[in-house]
């Protein structure tokens, strides 16, 4: 497509104020594509809890929001046009117009974390597309838009045909964040016990991953019941409902009973509740690992350091994921599509005009993973 035939603007759902309905507007697109940039048409965007909490204002102050903004950082699109440069993905595969791609947050490749640590999630210039103001070039980088501009530093991957749009989209945040958490925790030892704190998208994918990775006992803690149903379907041996077992120490006791009094070799906080880290550490077996992914926020209970010392625990953090985690996520979803019905997680798609309702439903836990197909209307 020559520059003269590129679309000049795109329909998008735009947030102008916290908690108010998104406005469907025409947003400009850059006149020219920079070297290494892409223009894609979005097939599907899945919403993440972060989107819902950015919209309802709960994250105001934690994450800098430049209004007007376009939500959406889990998406998959088809390539419409390329900027100058090699038409290859992050692992060297050719990319053609019409191919489905996913992409990472933009990273620079030159800073200390990128070059010396080799850890691009810590890139000093890491750029999240949804933090782009919609009235400043390149305008449309969030997923609630028919067309999206993929900046040069965003590492892209061609998506295999067997990976459905919704799965590929969810790989962009939920699945890659979950996979990195297991890597940070040292993986799943064969036959070991794994506790997953949280039954949102991350917790549910973690339940499936622990099962697939050879855990002996998988325990998922969370709610509401509809989510625990998915946890059971995706391999949880036991679920602990936070609505039924409301006391944190009672949840610790339940895990101890389910693990023969030993606790779990690996416990992952994918919940981010104020009591989660204290109780999660208490659920760990001797020599176990505790991985912190959730942000407990103000009022979080302290973790008991004598327990960390006495049981020789490893307590590690894990933040989002890089393009490697994204690539492994696509592989995981493809490889286990016959074992786990990934579609249990996803709502039926709605158009951009359904995005506000989807954000509200997500914020109130009425749904697990809303799907927006911008071309639907
Ligand atoms: Zn960097
Ligand atoms: Zn997210």
């Amino acid at each position: 497509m020559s520059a003269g035939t590129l679309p000049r603007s795109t329909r998008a759902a735009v947030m102008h104020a916290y908690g108010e309905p998104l406005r469907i507007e025409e947003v400009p697109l850059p006149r020219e594509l920079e070297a290494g940039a892409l223009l894609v048409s979005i097939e599907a965007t899945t919403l993440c809890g972060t989107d819902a909490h950015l919209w309802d204002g709960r994250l105001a102050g934690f994450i800098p929001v430049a209004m007007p903004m376009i939500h959406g950082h889990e998406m998959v699109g088809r390539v419409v046009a390329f900027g100058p440069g090699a038409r290859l993905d992050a692992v060297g595969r050719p990319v053609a117009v019409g191919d489905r791609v996913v992409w990472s947050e933009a990273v620079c490749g030159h800073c200390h974390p990128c070059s010396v640590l080799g850890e691009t999630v810590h890139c000093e210039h890491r750029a999240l597309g949804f933090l782009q103001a919609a009235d400043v070039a390149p305008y449309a980088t969030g997923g609630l838009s028919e067309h999206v501009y993929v900046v040069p530093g965003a590492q892209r991957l061609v998506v295999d045909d067997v990976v459905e749009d919704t799965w590929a989209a969810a790989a962009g945040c939920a699945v890659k964040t979950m996979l990195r958490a297991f890597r940070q925790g040292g993986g799943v030892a064969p036959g070991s016990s794994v506790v997953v704190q949280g039954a949102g998208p991350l917790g549910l994918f973690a339940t499936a991953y622990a099962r697939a990775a050879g855990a002996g006992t998988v325990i998922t803690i969370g709610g509401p019941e509809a989510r625990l149903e998915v946890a059971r379907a995706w391999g949880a041996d036991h679920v602990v409902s936070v609505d039924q077992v409301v006391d944190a120490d009672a949840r610790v006791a339940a895990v101890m009973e389910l693990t023969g009094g030993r606790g779990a070799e690996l416990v992952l906080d994918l919940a981010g509740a104020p009591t989660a880290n204290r109780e999660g550490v208490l659920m760990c077996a001797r020599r176990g690992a505790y991985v912190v992914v959730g942000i407990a926020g103000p009022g979080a209970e302290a973790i008991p350091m004598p327990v960390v010392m006495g049981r020789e625990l490893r307590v590690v953090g894990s933040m989002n994921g890089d393009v490697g985690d994204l690539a492994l996520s696509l592989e995981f979803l493809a490889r286990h599509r016959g074992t786990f019905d990934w579609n249990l997680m996803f709502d039926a798609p709605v158009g951009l005009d359904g995005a506000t309702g989807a954000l509200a439903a997500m914020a109130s836990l009425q749904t697990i993973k809303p799907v927006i197909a911008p071309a639907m209307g």
Side-chain angles (χ1 to χ4, degrees):
M1 192 179 281
S2 72
T5 57
L6 285 176
R8 294 286 178 84
S9 66
T10 181
R11 257 176 88 252
V14 185
M15 176 170 83
H16 289 268
Y18 293 120
E20 292 191 1
L22 307 179
R23 293 190 212 152
I24 310 298
E25 296 174 354
E26 282 291 320
V27 171
L29 288 169
R31 291 288 185 89
E32 287 183 14
L33 274 61
E34 305 156 88
L38 296 178
L39 185 68
V40 302
S41 63
I42 295 296
E43 296 280 302
T45 293
T46 51
L47 296 179
C48 163
T50 301
D51 294 310
H53 297 147
L54 277 172
W55 171 70
D56 70 14
R58 252 184 277 184
L59 288 174
F62 285 106
I63 296 181
V65 171
M67 303 263 193
M69 75 166 281
I70 301 173
H71 289 277
H73 55 278
E74 292 186 346
M75 61 269 209
V76 58
R78 285 191 191 275
V79 178
V80 171
F82 291 92
R87 298 183 174 191
L88 300 173
D89 78 357
V91 290
R93 294 174 297 194
V95 187
V97 168
D99 282 351
R100 281 191 313 157
V101 290
V102 292
W103 55 97
S104 71
E105 290 74 21
V107 296
C108 79
H110 306 296
C111 66
H112 183 88
C114 280
S115 301
V116 179
L117 300 179
E119 292 289 355
T120 54
V121 293
H122 297 285
C123 175
E124 290 166 8
H125 307 285
R126 193 166 187 257
L128 303 169
F130 61 95
L131 298 183
Q132 169 74 45
D135 57 358
V136 175
Y139 313 105
T141 54
L144 295 186
S145 183
E146 279 191 38
H147 287 90
V148 162
Y149 187 82
V150 180
V151 298
Q155 299 158 290
R156 68 273 340 230
L157 292 167
V158 174
V159 178
D160 191 287
D161 287 344
V162 304
V163 178
E164 295 185 17
D165 286 336
T166 48
W167 317 349
C173 179
V175 190
K176 75 176 181 185
T177 302
M178 174 282 292
L179 264 178
R180 186 178 183 85
F182 278 94
R183 289 209 292 138
Q184 287 290 89
V188 177
S192 61
S193 296
V194 176
V195 167
V196 176
Q197 294 180 289
L202 274 81
L204 294 173
F205 281 123
T207 301
Y209 183 86
R211 180 85 286 147
T217 302
V218 180
I219 303 166
T220 304
I221 303 172
E225 181 54 32
R227 296 179 174 209
L228 299 179
E229 275 298 309
V230 180
R232 288 187 193 95
W234 287 3
D237 298 293
H238 309 281
V239 299
V240 178
S241 164
V242 294
D243 301 319
Q244 287 168 15
V245 187
V246 293
D247 177 65
D249 290 326
R251 293 193 287 267
V252 174
V255 166
M256 284 297 165
E257 193 180 328
L258 293 168
T259 55
R262 285 205 309 273
E265 281 74 25
L266 179 62
V267 181
L268 304 111
D269 163 30
L270 301 166
T275 65
N277 295 157
R278 176 187 165 272
E279 71 187 86
V281 161
L282 290 171
M283 289 168 183
C284 286
R286 292 175 187 276
R287 305 278 298 166
Y290 186 65
V291 187
V292 181
V293 180
I295 297 173
E301 289 186 21
I303 65 170
M305 295 311 274
V307 175
V308 173
M309 186 279 274
R311 297 186 198 171
E312 293 194 313
L313 304 182
R314 287 179 300 118
V315 179
V316 295
S318 189
M319 185 179 73
N320 200 244
D322 61 20
V323 72
D325 300 306
L326 181 58
L328 293 173
S329 296
L330 294 174
E331 274 188 40
F332 170 67
L333 294 164
R335 188 174 300 276
H336 295 284
R337 69 188 187 281
T339 312
F340 306 110
D341 179 4
W342 300 131
N343 292 328
L344 289 178
M345 176 172 289
F346 300 98
D347 291 350
V350 296
L352 290 175
D353 49 9
T356 301
L359 286 167
M362 182 130 208
S364 59
L365 303 185
Q366 289 166 42
T367 179
I368 308 175
K369 208 59 154 162
V371 179
I372 314 295
M376 281 178 65

